[in-house]
Amino acid sequence: MYKGSKKNGLPAKPSLYRDILKILERFSLNKSKRIGTTINKIRKLKSLKIKDITNNGQILSKSAYYRFVNGESNIQATQFMNLLFRLNTSLKEFEFIHNDYQLPKVEQILQLVLTAASKQDIHTLKKLSSQAKNNFSKTNSYQYQHLLITIELFIHKLEGIQVGITNPSLTPDLQTGVDNIVHYLLNL
């Protein structure tokens, strides 16, 4: 369990814990060496000592840190989160550096979608829709599913098709929220 408290300088309630787990899901265990390498790279870029980011061994012993960095062992998600905290690095920053300073594929596609939508380029949106469908079928990632829905909403708007999402199982408040999201997406 996460052992954050005012005493050891770590936040008592990590608000990003679920996000960390989602990101770690994207990095398979086979990539643990690369994750450790990225942590070490950030540490060196910030000119920090190992004892500084491991909190003098309270988060991870020096030998466990080296085993992790060299891909010889894994660490717990809470230890990973604590290392990021000590590095003063967000999950987005870590992911960006870990992906060789590239946005994740889904975000790259989203940028293309927003550009095509602003240019009202239905042809490109349909190509991107196909790409998102393909990526969703390969990964079954909710992110590609959401991206696909966003693309379809843009296409419908540009083709003049009225879009409305209703679901009888939603409470009126939730339905209003869904309607607001659809309105927002259509007016980006």
Side-chain angles (χ1 to χ4, degrees):
M1 203 61 167
Y2 182 75
K3 298 197 177 15
S5 71
K6 289 182 183 177
K7 184 178 178 182
N8 63 17
L10 302 173
K13 293 184 180 180
S15 61
L16 299 175
Y17 187 73
R18 275 179 282 192
D19 292 336
I20 289 170
L21 293 177
K22 288 176 190 172
I23 285 178
L24 288 176
E25 285 174 8
R26 286 185 250 170
F27 308 132
S28 69
L29 291 177
N30 297 335
K31 296 181 183 176
S32 65
K33 181 175 183 179
R34 195 150 169 253
I35 293 171
T37 302
T38 303
I39 290 285
N40 204 42
K41 179 180 186 175
I42 295 168
R43 178 189 67 79
K44 287 178 180 179
L45 287 170
K46 294 189 176 196
S47 302
L48 296 171
K49 296 178 182 176
I50 293 171
K51 70 177 187 170
D52 294 333
I53 68 164
T54 61
N55 201 16
N56 290 318
Q58 291 182 17
I59 296 171
L60 206 58
S61 70
K62 194 172 185 178
S63 61
Y65 176 83
Y66 279 117
R67 285 191 306 272
F68 171 63
V69 167
N70 293 322
E72 298 167 5
S73 68
N74 294 314
I75 61 173
Q76 297 175 2
T78 53
Q79 291 170 316
F80 175 75
M81 183 176 70
N82 285 327
L83 289 175
L84 285 182
F85 176 77
R86 301 289 295 184
L87 288 166
N88 196 24
T89 301
S90 72
L91 286 170
K92 286 281 189 192
E93 289 172 304
F94 175 83
E95 189 174 21
F96 184 71
I97 295 166
H98 186 74
N99 289 325
D100 298 319
Y101 299 93
Q102 299 289 316
L103 289 173
K105 187 68 174 167
V106 71
E107 290 183 33
Q108 290 177 21
I109 296 171
L110 178 60
Q111 293 301 316
L112 296 172
V113 167
L114 294 174
T115 300
S118 69
K119 293 179 179 179
Q120 299 184 356
D121 185 350
I122 294 174
H123 179 70
T124 299
L125 286 171
K126 288 184 178 182
K127 282 184 180 178
L128 293 169
S129 175
S130 180
Q131 188 177 355
K133 282 179 192 173
N134 186 34
N135 288 338
F136 177 65
S137 67
K138 287 180 184 176
T139 65
N140 206 26
S141 168
Y142 71 90
Q143 292 176 316
Y144 285 110
Q145 186 178 30
H146 292 176
L147 181 60
L148 185 57
I149 292 167
T150 302
I151 296 168
E152 295 300 322
L153 287 170
F154 280 132
I155 291 170
H156 283 34
K157 178 183 181 184
L158 294 173
E159 290 178 340
I161 299 171
Q162 185 68 20
V163 177
I165 300 173
T166 57
N167 186 332
S169 66
L170 295 178
T171 65
D173 287 342
L174 285 175
Q175 183 63 53
T176 301
V178 169
D179 292 342
N180 288 340
I181 290 169
V182 169
H183 177 74
Y184 170 77
L185 289 173
L186 291 175
N187 291 300
L188 281 177

